[in-house]
Amino acid sequence: MGRRRNAGRNVTGILLLDKPPGLTSNAALQRVKHLYRAAKAGHTGSLDPLATGLLPVCLGASTKFSSFLLDADKRYRVRVRLGVSTTTADAEGEIVATAPVEGIDQARVIGVLESYVGTIEQLPPMYSAVKHAGERLYKLARKGIEVERTPRQIQIFELRLLAFEPPEIELDVHCSKGTYVRTLAEDIGRDLGCGGHVSQLRRTGVGPFAEPDAAFVTLDRLEALAADDGPEALDALLLPLDSALGHWPRVRLSADAAFYLRQGQAVLVPQAPTEGLVRLYDPSEHFLGVGSILDDGKVQPRRLI
């Protein structure tokens, strides 16, 4: 029999990767996995190749909790070029229409932005990873095929004008998962009567991680550390896996409750929250996983290490 391939290091933690432009999220993930020589890795929500910014990468046991970051709110800083519409709603697409922007003032832009705050419906763009009849929309779009899409309900928690520099504006967007910032920019341009597209996009926050409080790590820094200092220096950049859940209440279990919870049983915990998701710890403060509060007040295990 041949020799077994090296399965990689059993390293666990969350890396706050600062994705560079021009790289797909999967390509960035594979480079991180290679540098860490990790057995298991996954990211928590794709960024367009054009975009930069936060791409949390989960290594090892952290991948069990990546779905919670996928579902988390996101924050972006985006520059919108008004007066030019493209096929992809970003700078990589072909120009399909132009319009003058001279009559658009700051007050009018703010008025349009305010109309998007709250729960809205958004139509997924053709250049997206949404599937239609088993095929990704962007693949159909590249063939020149446009299909009917179903609007999705999203939330815009905050939409602020950071800079008014015609023909460009810069926005801060705090939104729910599933929001297409390219579509948002396109719709804002449409409402202003001139069209528009994303010229620059940076993700500045995912869930509890956000600039400037969280330190994002570039691929260049990772590669330099891997070459000069080795695995220990790379591992020092990883956050504990429960850091992604820091906004949830913390519940400390007794030894008996921890034992039964690990068997998949719901347990009663005095003074636990009355609803929602919670972080679970044993008497030694070791993180056990995530639980949810049932109607009878017991804690039900949802995802355990």
Side-chain angles (χ1 to χ4, degrees), residues 112-169:
V112 168
L113 298 184
E114 289 174 348
S115 71
Y116 281 89
V117 177
T119 301
I120 63 172
E121 288 198 334
Q122 188 180 68
L123 192 67
M126 279 301 301
Y127 281 89
S128 68
V130 175
K131 285 188 175 180
H132 174 81
E135 190 166 9
R136 303 286 185 187
L137 287 183
Y138 67 81
K139 291 185 177 180
L140 295 173
R142 287 170 183 166
K143 299 174 185 175
I145 300 171
E146 182 163 353
V147 298
E148 188 173 342
R149 286 98 71 201
T150 303
R152 296 181 171 189
Q153 196 172 83
I154 61 165
Q155 283 187 291
I156 306 295
F157 304 108
E158 190 176 13
L159 183 56
R160 294 190 300 124
L161 180 65
L162 299 179
F164 180 73
E165 302 165 345
E168 291 208 332
I169 57 174

Side-chain angles (χ1 to χ4, degrees), residues 187-256:
D187 290 346
I188 290 169
R190 178 202 63 212
D191 289 353
L192 288 169
C194 61
H197 70 269
V198 170
S199 61
Q200 289 182 349
L201 178 63
R202 178 171 180 80
R203 186 154 67 190
T204 58
V206 174
F209 307 124
E211 289 181 325
D213 301 322
F216 301 171
V217 183
T218 65
L219 276 175
D220 287 345
R221 185 182 176 197
L222 285 180
E223 289 169 348
L225 286 174
D228 298 338
D229 301 301
E232 288 186 1
L234 292 176
D235 293 353
L237 298 173
L238 298 178
L239 301 177
L241 56 87
D242 58 330
S243 63
L245 317 171
H247 52 304
W248 292 348
R250 179 188 184 100
V251 172
R252 187 170 180 265
L253 304 174
S254 67
D256 284 345

Side-chain angles (χ1 to χ4, degrees), residues 6-40:
N6 187 349
R9 292 199 304 139
N10 185 24
V11 55
T12 289
I14 299 173
L15 178 76
L16 302 185
L17 180 69
D18 192 339
K19 189 190 84 66
L23 202 63
T24 67
S25 295
N26 186 60
L29 167 69
Q30 295 306 321
R31 285 176 67 175
V32 170
K33 185 178 180 182
H34 172 74
L35 289 168
Y36 273 90
R37 303 199 299 274
K40 194 173 186 181

